[in-house]
Amino acid sequence: MSITADNPTTTQSTTLRDARVPQGGMYEGVRVLRPFPEGWEERPYEHIEVTPQTSVIGAEIRGADLSRPLAPVVREEINRALLEWKVLFFRGANLSPEQQAAFARHWGELETNPLLARGASDEIVRFEKGAAGSRPTYENVWHTDVTFRERPAMGAVLQLREVPPIGGHTMWADMAAAYDNLPDEVKQRIDGAVAVHDFIPGFDRFTPREKLLELQDQFPPVQHPVVRTHPESGRKMLFVNTSFTTHIVGMDRDESDRLLAFLTRQAHVPEYQVRFAWQPGDIAFWDNRATQHYALFDYAGQRRVAERVAVVGDRPF
């Protein structure tokens, strides 16, 4: 006796379903990941040890004593590493506030910031979160510091004084890589575009109204290019951020909002990021012209204390 199994004929559809996803989405695929601009001369480091942490951003630096004045050759190599890797990490530096400020002054005049809590001097900003009643302030959002100034900070030097037992990391994103990977049509659209930056949106949630009114004349809205050119490396970088960029000049609000939403989402791409797990006394020195950063608030109920000094920058172009 033979049994023949049923083998019904199946018909394959010749029409593929629509593959469209919402406009402005993020897509998988190969990304351009290069730490240096085209034509950059790579040279060995002779006075410091540089250990990259990712393909494009972040390097740990050893061999430099930040507690003393830097020799010119050491300062030059640290600056070159900063241009190449955008954020540098110095483990266990344990600098006093005065030493931290002196290190930053190798790169220029220091900022003061009346919007933030003062540390040991006017140039030192102190971020202190206690265990009781801690809430996120000036954290957990991707941003570039003080782009509401006509001359946003060139860079910043942050030291953690106290670290929670778990969490409290900081992340940085490479905005040159973010620009490199934009679709050509988006690059053409933002070529020459200018955006408005204002301190009010970034500080409104955490600052008394009276303080905002007091300072709004001191910090009027400013305009910066959507794509800035790095003054030292010549590299193009996205220069808009969620905290302070309000709109693109010459666009209606809806169009500007859609484009800014797409551009600011580029900082969220993991391939452009580095994440740093702090220990007390660690220093991070970042190029504020080329990066955005994000301080994680995942340590509610624990204590975290940081101090930062920032170097006055140039007018973006």
Side-chain angles (χ1 to χ4, degrees), residues 128-144:
E128 184 171 353
K129 300 295 172 65
S134 290
R135 64 189 182 97
T137 54
Y138 318 124
E139 292 175 304
N140 62 1
V141 63
W142 283 104
H143 67 286
T144 300

Side-chain angles (χ1 to χ4, degrees), residues 95-102 105 110-113 116-128 157 159 161 305-309:
L95 302 183
S96 69
E98 295 76 20
Q99 290 170 332
Q100 184 177 344
R105 283 194 184 94
L110 302 188
E111 280 188 351
T112 59
N113 192 327
L116 299 174
R118 181 183 181 277
S121 68
D122 288 341
E123 295 85 6
I124 298 173
V125 168
R126 186 173 174 89
F127 301 98
E128 184 171 353
V157 178
Q159 181 169 210
R161 301 291 180 187
V305 179
E307 291 183 328
R308 188 192 73 198
V309 293

Side-chain angles (χ1 to χ4, degrees), residues 34-43 84 232-235:
R34 54 187 179 93
F36 318 130
E38 293 182 5
W40 186 260
E41 180 188 357
E42 293 185 57
R43 292 176 285 148
E84 292 180 345
E232 294 186 72
S233 71
R235 198 164 181 189

Side-chain angles (χ1 to χ4, degrees), residues 155-177:
V157 178
L158 182 71
Q159 181 169 210
L160 265 288
R161 301 291 180 187
E162 297 183 41
V163 178
I166 298 176
H169 301 173
T170 305
M171 301 173 68
W172 286 263
D174 178 359
M175 301 316 292

